[in-house]
Amino acid sequence: MAPLVFKVHRHEPELIKPAKPTPHEFKLLSDIDDQDGLRVQIPLIHLYNYHPSMQENDPVRVIKQALAETLVFYYPFAGRVRELADSNRKLVVECTGEGVLFVEAVADVRLDQFGDDAVIGPPFPCFDELLFDVAGSSGILDCPLLLIQATLLKCGGIILAVRLNHTISDGGGYLQFWSSLGEIARGAHAPSVLPIWDRHLLNARDPPHVTCVHHEYVDLVDTEEQIPLAEKDHRSFFFGPVEIASLRRCAPPHLHHCSTYELITASFWRCRAISLQPNPNEEMRVICIVNARNKFNPPIPDGYYGNCIAYSAAVARAEDLCKKPLGYALELVKQAKEYVTEEYMRSVADLMVIKGRPWYTMVRTFLVSGVGKVRFDEVDFGWGRAVYAGPAKGHVASFHMGVRNKKGEDGILVTLCLPKLAMQMFVKELDSMLRENPHNAQNKAKMSSAL
C-alpha cells in the first residue's frame, strides 16, 4: 500500500483562555503526579465523521467556545507547571489563566484514508501534520498544559489531536475533562461531574516510609542494543469477541474468568518474549498500569482528575515465560494487578519523596496501559461518537483501547512496537495461539500495519 501523503494548512496558534476570570493561585501536584515517569507529554487523537449539524455550527468554533467555558471549571489546565526551588523537585501548577494552545487547520484528506478495512487506529500516518509542535510548547515546565489542533478534512469530518502534560491528569482524569468539554459543547452550563483538585490525598506520609516491594522502580543496567524507532514495526491488533474467546481457551480452566486486560497482556507478554529471543536466564518484566481509584477507603472522590495510577510489575525468567503455558504468565499478571492496594499507593508516594521521584524501569520491560474501559470514543460534541479516540502512538507503552470496528463490532485495539524481525515472529506466535481453538481455525488477529 502506498504511503498516505496529504497537505495541511494551519492558522497561527492561539491561546484559548477561560471564558471568565479565574483565581490566580498555586496548586501543588501530588507525589504520584510529579514522578519522573509522568513528566512527559502524551499524544492523543479523536476522529469524527461528518455530521449534518456541522453545516449549521462550525465545529472549530464550537470546540473553541466550549474549551473557554470548560476552562472556567478546570482553570489549572490554563496555568503552567513550575518546579519549586529547594523542594526536592516538587511540582506546582501556577494558575495564571494564560490558556491552552489551539491550532486550527484544514487538510486535503478523507477520514476513510486512515486505517485499514477493519478498524481505524494507531499508527496514524503523518501524525506530525495533525499535531504541529508549536515552538516552545513541548516542555513540562513553563509551557501550556494542553496543545490541541483541530483539522477539518475534505470529507467534512474533523480530527482533534491533543498533547497532554501527563503530570496534571491520567487517562481517567483526561476523559473527565474531555467529557465535560463535550457536555458544554452540546449546551450544558456546567459539567455533570464537577472537578475536584484534592491532590493532597495522594501525598507522601510524614515521615515517609516504603512498606511494599517495588520491582517497577529497581535501578537496572541496560545492556541491550538500542534499535532506532525507524527500524521498528508499529502495529495495532483488533480483538473482537471471537479472538478474545480463542485466547481464553488457551488459559487453564481456573483462569477462564480473568479480565480481558489480564488475558491479552499475558498473551502479548509471552509472545513478545518469544519473539525477542532473550537470554534464557534474563529477568523479563511486565508493568501493568493500574487505575487505583477504587483501592482507597474512603474512595478517591468522583471528580478527582489527577493521576491515580500504579506501575505494578511482574517478573519472570525468560525461559519460564517462553516455555511454560500461558497460565504461568497470566497468574503473574493477575498478581501484579492485585498487588495494588491503598497501602501500595502510599508506599509509592513515600518512595517518590525518599528517592527523588525516579522513573519506572524500562529495562527488559513490557509496559501496558489498560484503558479499554475508558471510552474516549463515546464523548459527543454534537456529532455523535468518534470513529476512534485515544492514544495516538504506542512506541513506549502498549495501549488497550475500547473501539468499534467498521462492522460495528466492539472490541479491544492493542498497540505494539517491536523490531521488524521480532514483529514477524510475534505475529506468527499470536496466530498460533488463536488457531489452537479447533472451532476458530480461520480467525486471526486483525492488524493495521504501519504505513
Side-chain angles (χ1 to χ4, degrees):
M1 183 182 295
L4 179 60
V5 178
F6 53 89
K7 295 180 181 179
V8 176
H9 172 73
R10 298 182 196 85
H11 294 213
E12 286 296 312
E14 58 182 308
L15 286 169
I16 305 297
K17 300 181 179 182
K20 299 177 182 178
T22 55
H24 183 259
E25 57 189 3
F26 291 83
K27 287 182 170 289
L28 286 170
L29 291 168
S30 80
D31 289 318
I32 298 296
D33 288 323
D34 61 12
Q35 57 184 293
D36 267 351
L38 294 176
R39 298 187 186 204
V40 295
Q41 299 272 6
I42 299 295
L44 302 117
I45 191 166
H46 308 254
L47 297 89
Y48 288 89
N49 273 319
Y50 169 77
H51 189 276
S53 67
M54 294 177 176
Q55 288 285 88
E56 303 168 12
N57 296 303
D58 172 18
V60 174
R61 181 178 57 82
V62 168
I63 290 291
K64 289 169 67 172
Q65 289 182 350
L67 192 55
E69 294 173 29
T70 304
L71 288 173
V72 173
F73 300 92
Y74 286 87
Y75 62 88
F77 269 110
R80 301 293 182 265
V81 174
R82 320 288 192 203
E83 190 170 89
L84 295 177
D86 304 319
S87 65
N88 190 22
R89 305 177 61 236
K90 187 66 192 166
L91 296 184
V92 62
V93 177
E94 182 180 0
C95 301
T96 61
E98 291 173 79
V100 303
L101 202 53
F102 190 92
V103 179
E104 180 179 350
V106 178
D108 63 345
V109 66
R110 302 185 313 274
L111 196 60
D112 62 10
Q113 292 178 259
F114 293 89
D116 63 14
D117 292 337
V119 64
I120 291 179
F124 290 95
C126 307
F127 180 73
D128 291 344
E129 295 287 350
L130 299 172
L131 186 63
F132 180 62
D133 184 14
V134 179
S137 71
S138 60
I140 298 303
L141 303 179
D142 309 320
C143 291
L145 276 72
L146 277 174
L147 165 64
I148 300 174
Q149 179 174 320
T151 305
L152 292 170
L153 310 178
K154 68 179 182 180
C155 62
I158 187 170
I159 295 178
L160 303 172
V162 180
R163 196 175 64 201
L164 168 72
N165 185 326
H166 206 336
T167 62
I168 197 167
S169 285
D170 58 14
Y174 171 74
L175 176 61
Q176 182 184 309
F177 169 81
W178 202 251
S179 297
S180 298
L181 184 62
E183 289 176 333
I184 289 176
R186 298 196 313 273
H189 296 294
S192 58
V193 177
L194 292 174
I196 293 173
W197 187 259
D198 283 359
R199 304 296 169 108
H200 66 278
L201 295 173
L202 291 171
N203 276 347
R205 294 169 286 204
D206 187 15
H209 52 288
V210 177
T211 56
C212 299
V213 176
H214 295 284
H215 295 292
E216 63 274 28
Y217 295 107
V218 175
D219 189 12
L220 300 173
V221 177
D222 191 356
T223 58
E224 297 176 344
E225 179 184 357
Q226 297 302 306
I227 299 174
L229 190 58
E231 297 177 17
K232 293 185 177 183
D233 192 353
H234 179 196
R235 303 193 187 192
S236 292
F237 299 78
F238 178 80
F239 290 85
V242 172
E243 290 78 28
I244 293 169
S246 294
L247 287 184
R248 206 170 289 281
R249 291 187 184 97
C250 295
H254 71 284
L255 293 175
H256 277 182
H257 297 292
C258 65
S259 71
T260 301
Y261 170 85
E262 293 164 349
L263 180 66
I264 296 177
T265 297
S267 301
F268 270 51
W269 185 30
R270 183 174 180 271
C271 292
R272 180 180 179 274
I274 292 170
S275 72
L276 291 172
Q277 299 181 308
N279 182 309
N281 292 314
E282 291 276 22
E283 279 191 344
M284 307 293 285
R285 281 171 167 74
V286 61
I287 290 182
C288 301
I289 302 179
V290 179
N291 180 358
R293 282 171 168 76
N294 63 351
K295 306 294 184 180
F296 288 79
N297 186 20
I300 298 295
D302 290 342
Y304 185 87
Y305 61 100
N307 288 282
C308 190
I309 53 177
Y311 294 87
S312 185
V315 183
R317 284 177 65 246
E319 185 173 34
D320 293 333
L321 185 58
C322 296
K323 292 187 175 181
K324 291 185 177 182
L326 177 63
Y328 173 75
L330 190 50
E331 289 277 17
L332 291 175
V333 169
K334 285 182 64 65
Q335 289 169 13
K337 284 187 63 185
E338 291 166 0
Y339 191 57
V340 178
T341 62
E342 179 173 352
E343 181 59 30
Y344 168 91
M345 293 297 291
R346 302 291 179 203
S347 182
V348 171
D350 293 350
L351 182 146
M352 289 299 132
V353 170
I354 292 170
K355 293 195 173 183
R357 312 181 197 283
W359 270 88
Y360 46 82
T361 183
M362 285 301 294
V363 177
R364 294 182 296 279
T365 296
F366 180 41
L367 180 64
V368 186
S369 177
V371 291
K373 294 182 179 179
V374 181
R375 295 304 296 257
F376 299 107
D377 61 329
E378 292 180 352
V379 175
D380 181 3
F381 292 92
W383 322 314
R385 68 185 296 155
V387 174
Y388 170 85
K393 299 180 179 180
H395 296 150
V396 177
S398 175
F399 291 99
H400 293 204
M401 288 88 68
V403 299
R404 180 172 293 172
N405 67 11
K406 293 179 180 179
K407 296 179 181 178
E409 183 181 43
D410 283 314
I412 303 294
L413 195 70
V414 184
T415 63
L416 186 68
C417 187
L418 284 173
K420 291 180 179 179
L421 288 177
M423 182 64 83
Q424 293 176 21
M425 294 181 64
F426 176 91
V427 170
K428 182 179 179 180
E429 191 65 30
L430 180 61
D431 284 347
S432 177
M433 289 182 65
L434 292 169
R435 287 197 304 268
E436 282 186 23
N437 171 17
H439 301 291
N440 190 33
Q442 300 303 316
N443 288 301
K444 296 184 179 182
K446 305 176 184 70
M447 296 166 289
S448 54
S449 300
L451 297 172

